[in-house]
Amino acid sequence: MINPKTLLERAAQLADQAKGEQDAGIRERLLRMAEHYRDLAAHEAWAHENPPSVGAITSALSSRAH
């Protein structure tokens, strides 16, 4: 599991870098990367707050066997 705070810090770094970028294509790519990091942080935070149950894991694994 990745610490969401670390992902948000990286997103902020990328957004700051984008502000100083003169090339529009690179700026947009940096902003998309920052957004991706924010999405990952949200996912990791949700996963931390909602861990899977043993029953759910067992059910998922047994349904794959069939």
Coordinates of all heavy atoms in Angstrom, one line a residue:
M1 N 0.8 -1.2 0.0 CA 0.0 0.0 0.0 C 0.9 1.2 0.0 O 1.9 1.3 0.7 CB -0.9 0.0 1.2 CG -1.8 1.2 1.3 SD -3.0 0.8 2.5 CE -4.2 2.0 2.1
I2 N 0.5 2.2 -0.8 CA 1.3 3.5 -0.9 C 0.6 4.5 0.0 O -0.6 4.6 0.0 CB 1.3 3.9 -2.4 CG1 1.9 2.9 -3.3 CG2 2.1 5.2 -2.5 CD1 1.8 3.1 -4.7
N3 N 1.4 5.3 0.6 CA 0.9 6.3 1.5 C 0.2 7.4 0.6 O 0.9 8.0 -0.2 CB 2.0 6.9 2.3 CG 1.6 7.9 3.3 OD1 0.4 8.4 3.3 ND2 2.4 8.3 4.3
P4 N -1.1 7.7 0.8 CA -1.7 8.7 0.0 C -1.1 10.1 0.2 O -1.1 10.9 -0.8 CB -3.2 8.7 0.6 CG -3.4 7.4 1.2 CD -2.0 7.0 1.7
K5 N -0.5 10.4 1.3 CA 0.1 11.7 1.5 C 1.3 11.8 0.5 O 1.5 12.9 0.0 CB 0.6 11.8 3.0 CG 1.3 13.2 3.2 CD 1.7 13.3 4.7 CE 2.4 14.6 4.9 NZ 2.9 14.7 6.3
T6 N 2.1 10.8 0.4 CA 3.2 10.8 -0.6 C 2.7 11.0 -2.0 O 3.3 11.8 -2.7 CB 4.0 9.4 -0.5 OG1 4.4 9.2 0.9 CG2 5.2 9.4 -1.4
L7 N 1.6 10.4 -2.4 CA 1.1 10.6 -3.7 C 0.6 12.0 -3.9 O 0.8 12.6 -5.0 CB -0.1 9.6 -4.0 CG 0.3 8.1 -4.0 CD1 -0.9 7.2 -3.9 CD2 1.2 7.8 -5.2
L8 N 0.0 12.6 -2.9 CA -0.5 14.0 -3.0 C 0.6 14.9 -3.1 O 0.6 15.9 -3.8 CB -1.4 14.3 -1.8 CG -2.8 13.6 -1.9 CD1 -3.6 13.8 -0.6 CD2 -3.6 14.0 -3.1
E9 N 1.7 14.6 -2.4 CA 2.9 15.5 -2.4 C 3.5 15.5 -3.8 O 3.9 16.5 -4.4 CB 3.9 15.1 -1.4 CG 3.6 15.4 0.0 CD 4.5 14.7 1.1 OE1 5.4 13.9 0.7 OE2 4.3 15.0 2.3
R10 N 3.5 14.3 -4.4 CA 4.1 14.2 -5.8 C 3.2 14.9 -6.8 O 3.6 15.6 -7.7 CB 4.2 12.7 -6.2 CG 4.9 12.5 -7.5 CD 6.3 13.1 -7.6 NE 6.8 12.9 -8.9 CZ 7.5 13.8 -9.5 NH1 7.8 14.9 -9.0 NH2 8.0 13.6 -10.7
A11 N 1.9 14.8 -6.6 CA 0.9 15.5 -7.4 C 1.1 17.0 -7.4 O 1.1 17.7 -8.4 CB -0.5 15.2 -7.1
A12 N 1.4 17.5 -6.2 CA 1.6 19.0 -6.0 C 2.9 19.4 -6.7 O 3.0 20.5 -7.3 CB 1.7 19.3 -4.5
Q13 N 3.9 18.5 -6.6 CA 5.2 18.8 -7.2 C 5.0 18.9 -8.7 O 5.6 19.8 -9.4 CB 6.3 17.8 -6.9 CG 6.7 17.8 -5.5 CD 7.6 16.5 -5.2 OE1 7.6 15.6 -5.9 NE2 8.2 16.6 -4.0
L14 N 4.3 18.0 -9.3 CA 4.1 18.0 -10.7 C 3.3 19.2 -11.2 O 3.5 19.8 -12.2 CB 3.4 16.7 -11.2 CG 4.2 15.4 -11.1 CD1 3.3 14.2 -11.2 CD2 5.3 15.4 -12.2
A15 N 2.3 19.6 -10.4 CA 1.4 20.8 -10.7 C 2.3 22.0 -10.6 O 2.2 22.9 -11.5 CB 0.3 20.9 -9.8
D16 N 3.2 22.1 -9.7 CA 4.1 23.3 -9.6 C 5.0 23.3 -10.8 O 5.3 24.4 -11.3 CB 4.9 23.2 -8.3 CG 4.0 23.6 -7.1 OD1 3.0 24.2 -7.2 OD2 4.5 23.3 -5.9
Q17 N 5.5 22.1 -11.1 CA 6.4 22.1 -12.3 C 5.7 22.5 -13.6 O 6.3 23.2 -14.4 CB 7.0 20.6 -12.4 CG 8.0 20.5 -13.5 CD 8.5 19.1 -13.6 OE1 8.3 18.2 -12.7 NE2 9.3 18.8 -14.6
A18 N 4.4 22.1 -13.7 CA 3.6 22.5 -14.8 C 3.5 24.0 -14.9 O 3.5 24.6 -16.0 CB 2.3 21.8 -14.8
K19 N 3.3 24.7 -13.8 CA 3.2 26.1 -13.8 C 4.3 26.9 -14.5 O 4.1 27.9 -15.1 CB 3.0 26.6 -12.4 CG 1.7 26.3 -11.7 CD 1.6 26.8 -10.3 CE 0.4 26.3 -9.6 NZ 0.4 26.7 -8.2
G20 N 5.5 26.3 -14.3 CA 6.7 26.9 -14.8 C 7.1 26.5 -16.2 O 8.0 27.0 -16.8
E21 N 6.3 25.5 -16.8 CA 6.6 25.0 -18.1 C 6.0 25.8 -19.2 O 4.9 26.2 -19.2 CB 6.1 23.6 -18.2 CG 6.4 22.8 -19.5 CD 7.8 22.7 -19.8 OE1 8.6 22.2 -18.9 OE2 8.2 23.1 -20.9
Q22 N 6.9 26.2 -20.2 CA 6.4 27.0 -21.3 C 5.8 26.2 -22.4 O 4.9 26.7 -23.1 CB 7.6 27.9 -21.8 CG 8.0 28.9 -20.8 CD 9.1 29.8 -21.3 OE1 9.4 29.8 -22.5 NE2 9.6 30.6 -20.4
D23 N 6.3 25.0 -22.6 CA 5.7 24.1 -23.7 C 4.4 23.6 -23.2 O 4.2 22.9 -22.2 CB 6.7 23.0 -23.9 CG 6.3 22.1 -25.0 OD1 5.2 21.5 -24.9 OD2 7.0 22.0 -26.0
A24 N 3.3 24.0 -24.0 CA 2.0 23.6 -23.7 C 1.8 22.1 -23.6 O 1.0 21.6 -22.7 CB 1.0 24.2 -24.7
G25 N 2.4 21.3 -24.5 CA 2.2 19.9 -24.5 C 2.8 19.3 -23.2 O 2.2 18.4 -22.6
I26 N 4.0 19.7 -22.8 CA 4.6 19.2 -21.6 C 3.8 19.6 -20.4 O 3.6 18.8 -19.5 CB 6.0 19.7 -21.5 CG1 6.9 19.0 -22.6 CG2 6.6 19.3 -20.1 CD1 8.3 19.5 -22.7
R27 N 3.3 20.9 -20.4 CA 2.5 21.4 -19.3 C 1.2 20.5 -19.1 O 0.9 20.1 -18.0 CB 2.1 22.8 -19.5 CG 1.4 23.5 -18.3 CD 1.2 25.0 -18.5 NE 0.6 25.3 -19.8 CZ 1.3 26.0 -20.8 NH1 2.6 26.4 -20.6 NH2 0.8 26.3 -21.9
E28 N 0.6 20.2 -20.2 CA -0.7 19.4 -20.1 C -0.3 18.0 -19.6 O -1.1 17.4 -18.8 CB -1.4 19.3 -21.5 CG -2.0 20.6 -21.9 CD -3.1 21.1 -20.9 OE1 -3.9 20.2 -20.4 OE2 -3.1 22.3 -20.5
R29 N 0.8 17.4 -20.1 CA 1.1 16.1 -19.6 C 1.4 16.1 -18.1 O 1.0 15.2 -17.4 CB 2.4 15.6 -20.4 CG 2.8 14.2 -19.9 CD 3.9 13.7 -20.8 NE 3.3 13.2 -22.0 CZ 3.8 12.4 -22.8 NH1 5.1 12.0 -22.7 NH2 3.2 12.0 -23.9
L30 N 2.2 17.1 -17.6 CA 2.4 17.2 -16.2 C 1.2 17.3 -15.4 O 1.0 16.7 -14.3 CB 3.4 18.4 -15.9 CG 4.8 18.2 -16.4 CD1 5.5 19.6 -16.3 CD2 5.5 17.2 -15.6
L31 N 0.2 18.1 -15.9 CA -1.1 18.3 -15.2 C -1.9 17.0 -15.2 O -2.5 16.6 -14.2 CB -1.9 19.4 -15.8 CG -1.3 20.8 -15.6 CD1 -2.1 21.8 -16.4 CD2 -1.3 21.1 -14.1
R32 N -1.8 16.2 -16.3 CA -2.5 14.9 -16.3 C -1.8 13.9 -15.3 O -2.5 13.2 -14.7 CB -2.5 14.3 -17.7 CG -3.5 15.0 -18.7 CD -3.7 14.2 -19.9 NE -2.5 13.8 -20.6 CZ -1.9 14.5 -21.6 NH1 -2.4 15.7 -21.9 NH2 -0.8 14.1 -22.1
M33 N -0.5 14.0 -15.3 CA 0.2 13.1 -14.3 C -0.2 13.5 -12.9 O -0.4 12.6 -12.1 CB 1.7 13.2 -14.5 CG 2.2 12.6 -15.8 SD 3.9 13.0 -16.2 CE 4.8 12.3 -14.8
A34 N -0.3 14.8 -12.6 CA -0.6 15.2 -11.3 C -2.0 14.7 -10.9 O -2.3 14.2 -9.8 CB -0.6 16.7 -11.2
E35 N -3.0 14.8 -11.9 CA -4.3 14.3 -11.7 C -4.3 12.8 -11.4 O -5.1 12.3 -10.6 CB -5.2 14.7 -12.9 CG -6.7 14.3 -12.7 CD -7.3 15.0 -11.5 OE1 -6.9 16.1 -11.2 OE2 -8.3 14.4 -10.9
H36 N -3.5 12.1 -12.1 CA -3.4 10.6 -11.9 C -2.9 10.3 -10.5 O -3.4 9.4 -9.9 CB -2.4 10.0 -13.0 CG -2.3 8.6 -12.9 ND1 -3.3 7.7 -13.2 CD2 -1.3 7.8 -12.5 CE1 -2.9 6.4 -13.0 NE2 -1.7 6.5 -12.6
Y37 N -1.9 11.1 -10.0 CA -1.4 10.8 -8.7 C -2.5 11.2 -7.7 O -2.7 10.5 -6.7 CB -0.2 11.7 -8.4 CG 1.1 11.0 -8.8 CD1 1.6 11.2 -10.1 CD2 1.8 10.3 -7.9 CE1 2.8 10.6 -10.5 CE2 3.0 9.7 -8.3 CZ 3.5 9.8 -9.6 OH 4.6 9.2 -10.0
R38 N -3.3 12.2 -7.9 CA -4.4 12.5 -7.0 C -5.5 11.4 -7.0 O -6.0 11.0 -5.9 CB -5.1 13.8 -7.3 CG -4.2 15.0 -6.9 CD -5.0 16.3 -7.1 NE -5.1 16.7 -8.5 CZ -4.3 17.4 -9.2 NH1 -3.1 17.8 -8.7 NH2 -4.5 17.7 -10.4
D39 N -5.7 10.8 -8.2 CA -6.7 9.7 -8.2 C -6.1 8.5 -7.5 O -6.9 7.8 -6.8 CB -6.9 9.3 -9.7 CG -7.8 10.3 -10.5 OD1 -8.4 11.2 -9.8 OD2 -7.8 10.3 -11.7
L40 N -4.8 8.2 -7.7 CA -4.2 7.1 -6.9 C -4.3 7.3 -5.4 O -4.6 6.4 -4.7 CB -2.8 6.9 -7.4 CG -2.5 6.3 -8.7 CD1 -1.0 6.4 -9.1 CD2 -3.0 4.9 -8.8
A41 N -4.1 8.5 -5.0 CA -4.1 8.8 -3.6 C -5.5 8.6 -3.0 O -5.7 8.0 -1.9 CB -3.7 10.3 -3.3
A42 N -6.5 9.0 -3.8 CA -7.9 8.8 -3.3 C -8.2 7.3 -3.3 O -8.9 6.8 -2.3 CB -8.9 9.5 -4.3
H43 N -7.8 6.5 -4.3 CA -8.0 5.1 -4.3 C -7.3 4.4 -3.1 O -7.9 3.6 -2.4 CB -7.5 4.5 -5.6 CG -7.5 3.0 -5.6 ND1 -8.7 2.3 -5.8 CD2 -6.6 2.0 -5.4 CE1 -8.5 1.0 -5.7 NE2 -7.2 0.8 -5.5
E44 N -6.0 4.8 -2.8 CA -5.3 4.2 -1.7 C -6.0 4.6 -0.4 O -6.0 3.7 0.5 CB -3.8 4.7 -1.7 CG -3.0 4.1 -2.8 CD -2.8 2.6 -2.7 OE1 -2.7 2.1 -1.6 OE2 -2.8 1.9 -3.8
A45 N -6.4 5.8 -0.2 CA -7.1 6.2 1.0 C -8.4 5.4 1.2 O -8.7 4.9 2.3 CB -7.4 7.7 1.0
W46 N -9.1 5.2 0.1 CA -10.4 4.4 0.2 C -10.0 2.9 0.6 O -10.7 2.3 1.4 CB -11.1 4.4 -1.1 CG -12.4 3.7 -1.1 CD1 -13.6 4.2 -0.7 CD2 -12.6 2.3 -1.4 NE1 -14.6 3.2 -0.8 CE2 -14.0 2.0 -1.1 CE3 -11.8 1.2 -1.8 CZ2 -14.5 0.7 -1.3 CZ3 -12.3 0.0 -1.9 CH2 -13.6 -0.3 -1.7
A47 N -9.0 2.4 -0.1 CA -8.6 1.0 0.2 C -8.2 0.8 1.6 O -8.4 -0.2 2.3 CB -7.5 0.6 -0.8
H48 N -7.5 1.8 2.2 CA -7.1 1.8 3.6 C -8.3 1.8 4.5 O -8.3 1.1 5.5 CB -6.1 2.9 3.9 CG -5.7 3.0 5.3 ND1 -4.8 2.0 5.8 CD2 -6.0 3.8 6.3 CE1 -4.5 2.3 7.1 NE2 -5.2 3.3 7.4
E49 N -9.3 2.6 4.2 CA -10.5 2.7 5.0 C -11.4 1.5 4.8 O -12.3 1.3 5.7 CB -11.2 4.0 4.7 CG -10.4 5.2 5.1 CD -11.0 6.5 4.5 OE1 -12.1 6.5 3.9 OE2 -10.4 7.6 4.7
N50 N -11.3 0.8 3.7 CA -12.2 -0.3 3.4 C -11.5 -1.5 3.0 O -11.5 -2.0 1.9 CB -13.2 0.1 2.3 CG -14.0 1.4 2.6 OD1 -14.9 1.3 3.3 ND2 -13.6 2.5 2.0
P51 N -10.8 -2.1 4.0 CA -10.0 -3.3 3.6 C -10.9 -4.5 3.3 O -12.0 -4.6 3.8 CB -9.2 -3.6 4.9 CG -10.0 -3.0 6.0 CD -10.7 -1.8 5.4
P52 N -10.5 -5.3 2.4 CA -11.3 -6.5 1.9 C -11.4 -7.5 3.1 O -10.5 -7.7 3.9 CB -10.5 -7.1 0.8 CG -9.1 -6.7 1.0 CD -9.2 -5.3 1.7
S53 N -12.6 -8.1 3.1 CA -12.8 -9.2 4.2 C -12.2 -10.5 3.7 O -12.1 -10.7 2.5 CB -14.3 -9.3 4.5 OG -14.9 -9.8 3.3
V54 N -11.9 -11.4 4.6 CA -11.5 -12.7 4.2 C -12.5 -13.4 3.4 O -12.2 -14.1 2.4 CB -11.1 -13.5 5.5 CG1 -10.8 -14.9 5.1 CG2 -9.9 -12.8 6.2
G55 N -13.8 -13.2 3.7 CA -14.8 -13.9 3.0 C -14.9 -13.4 1.5 O -15.1 -14.2 0.6
A56 N -14.7 -12.1 1.3 CA -14.8 -11.6 0.0 C -13.6 -12.1 -0.9 O -13.8 -12.5 -2.0 CB -14.7 -10.1 0.0
I57 N -12.4 -12.2 -0.2 CA -11.3 -12.7 -1.0 C -11.5 -14.2 -1.3 O -11.2 -14.6 -2.4 CB -10.0 -12.5 -0.1 CG1 -9.7 -11.0 0.0 CG2 -8.8 -13.2 -0.8 CD1 -8.6 -10.6 0.9
T58 N -11.9 -14.9 -0.3 CA -12.2 -16.4 -0.5 C -13.2 -16.6 -1.6 O -13.0 -17.4 -2.5 CB -12.6 -17.0 0.8 OG1 -11.7 -16.8 1.8 CG2 -12.8 -18.5 0.6
S59 N -14.2 -15.8 -1.6 CA -15.3 -15.9 -2.6 C -14.7 -15.6 -4.0 O -15.0 -16.3 -5.0 CB -16.4 -15.0 -2.3 OG -17.4 -14.9 -3.3
A60 N -13.9 -14.5 -4.1 CA -13.4 -14.1 -5.4 C -12.4 -15.2 -5.9 O -12.4 -15.5 -7.1 CB -12.6 -12.8 -5.3
L61 N -11.6 -15.8 -5.1 CA -10.7 -16.8 -5.5 C -11.4 -18.1 -5.9 O -11.0 -18.8 -6.8 CB -9.7 -17.1 -4.4 CG -8.7 -16.0 -4.1 CD1 -7.8 -16.3 -2.9 CD2 -7.8 -15.7 -5.3
S62 N -12.4 -18.5 -5.1 CA -13.2 -19.7 -5.5 C -14.0 -19.6 -6.7 O -14.2 -20.5 -7.5 CB -14.0 -20.2 -4.3 OG -15.0 -19.2 -4.0
S63 N -14.4 -18.4 -7.1 CA -15.2 -18.2 -8.3 C -14.3 -18.3 -9.5 O -14.7 -18.6 -10.6 CB -16.0 -16.9 -8.3 OG -15.1 -15.8 -8.3
R64 N -13.0 -18.0 -9.4 CA -12.1 -18.1 -10.5 C -11.7 -19.5 -10.8 O -11.3 -19.8 -11.9 CB -10.8 -17.3 -10.1 CG -11.0 -15.8 -10.2 CD -9.6 -15.2 -10.0 NE -9.8 -13.7 -10.3 CZ -8.7 -13.0 -10.6 NH1 -7.5 -13.5 -10.7 NH2 -8.9 -11.7 -10.9
A65 N -11.8 -20.4 -9.8 CA -11.5 -21.8 -10.0 C -12.5 -22.5 -10.9 O -12.2 -23.5 -11.4 CB -11.4 -22.5 -8.6
H66 N -13.6 -22.0 -11.0 CA -14.7 -22.7 -11.8 C -14.7 -22.3 -13.2 O -14.5 -21.4 -13.8 CB -16.1 -22.4 -11.2 CG -16.2 -22.9 -9.8 ND1 -16.4 -24.3 -9.5 CD2 -16.1 -22.4 -8.6 CE1 -16.5 -24.5 -8.2 NE2 -16.3 -23.3 -7.6

